[in-house]
Amino acid sequence: MRLKDCHNYHDFRKLAKRRLPSPIFNYIDGGADDETTQRRNSDSFEACDLVPNVLRGVKDIDLSVTVMGQKLAMPLYCSPTALQRLFHHQGERAVAAAAAKHGTMFGVSSLGTVSLEELRRKHDNPQVYQFYFHKDRGLNSAMMQRAKEAGVEVMMLTVDSITGGNRERDLRTGFSIPFRLTLGGIMQFAIKPMWGINYVTHESFSLPQLDEHIDMDGSAMSIGRYFSEMLDPAMNWDDVAKMVQEWDGQFCLKGIMSVEDAKKAVDIGCTGIILSNHGGRQLDGSRAPFDQLKEIVDAVGDKIDVIMDSGIQRGSHVVKALALGAKAVGGGRCYLYPLAAAGQAGVDRALSLMKAEIQRDMMLMGCQSVSDLHEGMLRFR
């Protein structure tokens, strides 16, 4: 199986599974506890049917959207995800370059493996910086100042990860950063030698956004301890309101799921919210963002940009979310599997295929632009 044989999300997943050592593949692939929420995220779209209109004269399709002041050429963007150079040695460099080619937004995580400054220098498409709330308030301010000086357009605070989810696949393989693998996990690396060759022949793995706080040699702090010791579970709305004022620009909260929280985000001056359950990796049993989208759009959609992620596998999923009122849709695994499979070429192919799907679905729906989509085109079973 080669990249040219990949035509959809499931093909990229299959190729990534063949190329990655099992502990790393399962880190991408897995969710929390029984992974019920992870499955529901995608299944939720299947309970919604599209009702197309015909004879609408849709020769030319405009997929552009504006979200949090950023003009995107397509309504799908690459959500920030951690540890990307662990999946392929190009990491965030591949994702940023592919996103720039397609004129869409990409995100850099606090746990990213390429510095946000390097990516900002190389690409001028909109960049999001995703970070966590630390007990050290000075560190929070320093991270925001660093992003502002780098020219990042959108600040994204993740609010559903004050502690790590219970990811049992990682417990079984011993996956952690730094590596502390079980014997079975070590054997899985041994049978995928090309990954190891690439890992040791390219630049050393690091977390440049947090390199002063996490020692990758294992002598100071692991990723697990970072979540348990440095992040502040006492974070509250007053804390976030101060950060919004300090940033004084486009500021969104990722992990909003309730109407009550969406309204509070409006009240403290956020310009965007992202409906997300972290791809089913945090609270298992939580509601799928697509199922919650209409309720939140109805409540605050005229006051703040509502975005959603989690479970996106098809262009039709994006179209359904846009029809319900989402301003844009984020994807994580939908570009991580392609990244793991083939680096920049994989991400480029995945975005090309998704763009073609969205465009084709728009034509078949009788819609010339994203603004033509509306709730009346959907029926729920």
Side-chain angles (χ1 to χ4, degrees), residues 174-277:
F175 177 87
S176 65
I177 300 295
F179 289 133
R180 293 188 181 88
L181 297 168
T182 62
L183 178 60
I186 293 171
M187 291 298 294
Q188 290 297 318
F189 278 80
I191 64 177
K192 299 287 178 69
M194 283 307 301
W195 180 93
I197 291 170
N198 277 324
Y199 185 78
V200 300
T201 56
H202 291 87
E203 65 185 287
S204 299
F205 186 84
S206 66
L207 300 173
Q209 274 67 254
L210 290 168
D211 55 6
E212 296 179 3
H213 311 285
I214 298 180
D215 187 340
M216 297 312 298
D217 293 327
S219 59
M221 182 169 289
S222 68
I223 294 295
R225 286 184 59 201
Y226 167 76
F227 276 93
S228 63
E229 296 181 19
M230 290 188 67
L231 302 190
D232 191 355
M235 171 178 60
N236 59 42
W237 285 101
D238 290 338
D239 294 321
V240 178
K242 293 175 183 176
M243 299 186 80
V244 172
Q245 292 177 355
E246 184 177 349
W247 176 252
D248 191 27
Q250 300 289 341
F251 195 110
C252 65
L253 301 183
K254 180 176 182 287
I256 296 296
M257 287 294 291
S258 73
V259 169
E260 180 182 2
D261 286 349
K263 290 179 177 179
K264 288 181 179 177
V266 172
D267 291 342
I268 66 171
C270 292
T271 56
I273 53 173
I274 301 174
L275 276 63
S276 172
N277 55 35

Side-chain angles (χ1 to χ4, degrees), residues 289-323:
F290 182 67
D291 288 337
Q292 193 69 352
L293 180 57
K294 172 177 165 49
E295 188 175 339
I296 289 183
V297 167
D298 287 348
V300 299
D302 59 339
K303 302 180 181 70
I304 194 170
D305 284 354
V306 179
I307 310 160
M308 70 148 285
D309 73 17
S310 301
I312 300 297
Q313 296 183 4
R314 283 287 188 183
S316 60
H317 295 171
V318 176
V319 169
K320 290 175 183 180
L322 296 172

Side-chain angles (χ1 to χ4, degrees), residues 142-160:
M143 293 175 73
M144 288 200 298
Q145 182 60 33
R146 176 178 175 178
K148 188 175 287 290
E149 291 175 356
V152 170
E153 289 90 353
V154 181
M155 183 61 67
M156 177 188 292
L157 177 64
T158 294
V159 292
D160 65 352

Side-chain angles (χ1 to χ4, degrees), residues 117-133:
E117 290 90 351
E118 176 189 332
L119 298 172
R120 185 68 295 167
R121 287 193 302 268
K122 290 183 176 179
H123 306 288
D124 59 4
N125 50 318
Q127 179 173 322
V128 167
Y129 180 43
Q130 174 271 331
F131 74 114
Y132 300 99
F133 191 85

Side-chain angles (χ1 to χ4, degrees), residues 160-178:
D160 65 352
S161 301
I162 55 175
T163 188
N166 180 37
R167 300 168 194 174
E168 293 177 356
R169 293 203 209 185
D170 296 345
L171 297 176
R172 293 189 180 95
T173 64
F175 177 87
S176 65
I177 300 295

